[in-house]
Amino acid sequence: GGGQGFPGTTSLRAETLIAVVADVVGELARSGFRRIAIVNWHGENVNLLWAGVDRARERGELGEAKVMLIERVFNAFSEEELDFLFADAREGFPGWPAEHAAIMETSLVMALRPELVRTEKIADDRSAARPFYEVIPTPPEHVAASGVLAEASKASPEKGARLVDLIVARL
């Protein structure tokens, strides 16, 4: 959900993601893993991940394994901890739904895989409308043509490295 309006999006059906999570978690437990962590980055997937873990549990595949599901890693941080990300942004923090392919995600990729960042294509874009609700299928005015929903130009490798340190420390 939520991504079909973005250019280049390839998605799995909900049933497929649930089945994949159930199978992977079940196989990890069968192989002897006793502590399994799932880190979600895409808000709409949270319930599907829960359903997948629960399916493995219902089938008796978890045994003694415990599964920790981190629904949204960025929710672990206070506004003060993340102020450095948005300090120079025109709008300040635009809200997580508007942070798609923007400062946080671009900074993380700049820090972790800089060779993947095409700086000449970084866009400061936004959708024409930012409603508090979803419409299915997503209307074109709810998605910017670039897929960027805020000021990606404010991203930096330094912000990304600091964010990586925060995430690793928290996890």
Side-chain angles (χ1 to χ4, degrees):
Q4 296 306 345
F6 294 111
T9 297
T10 303
S11 297
L12 298 176
R13 289 187 334 268
E15 298 83 5
T16 303
L17 181 57
I18 291 168
V20 167
V21 170
D23 288 351
V24 169
V25 167
E27 284 298 299
L28 289 171
R30 183 190 61 75
S31 296
F33 286 84
R34 295 294 169 252
R35 296 179 351 182
I36 301 166
I38 299 173
V39 180
N40 177 54
W41 199 268
H42 190 64
E44 289 90 343
N45 290 342
V46 170
N47 292 332
L48 305 176
L49 300 176
W50 271 99
V53 173
D54 203 41
R55 181 175 293 173
R57 184 195 57 77
E58 287 173 347
R59 294 189 307 210
E61 296 173 349
L62 292 184
E64 299 299 314
K66 302 282 185 214
V67 179
M68 178 176 60
L69 176 56
I70 301 166
E71 294 180 356
R72 292 173 182 89
V73 72
F74 41 82
N75 285 348
F77 304 107
S78 68
E79 286 183 37
E80 293 76 30
E81 287 175 299
L82 296 179
D83 277 348
F84 72 93
L85 276 172
F86 308 105
D88 55 351
R90 227 179 16 250
E91 300 178 9
F93 176 52
W96 292 121
E99 241 302 295
H100 187 269
I103 297 172
M104 175 185 268
E105 292 176 342
T106 304
S107 292
L108 282 169
V109 179
M110 286 175 151
L112 297 170
R113 296 290 305 275
E115 72 278 7
L116 297 179
V117 180
R118 293 183 286 174
T119 54
E120 74 282 1
K121 293 193 177 261
I122 290 177
D124 287 346
D125 211 349
R126 64 179 296 148
S127 55
R130 285 187 181 171
F132 66 92
Y133 53 85
E134 297 288 337
V135 177
I136 301 168
T138 305
E141 63 272 13
H142 290 194
V143 179
S146 68
V148 176
L149 297 183
E151 294 178 274
S153 68
K154 303 299 184 189
S156 72
E158 296 77 22
K159 288 179 181 180
R162 187 166 171 192
L163 189 57
V164 167
D165 289 344
L166 278 171
I167 291 170
V168 169
R170 193 60 46 95
L171 293 176

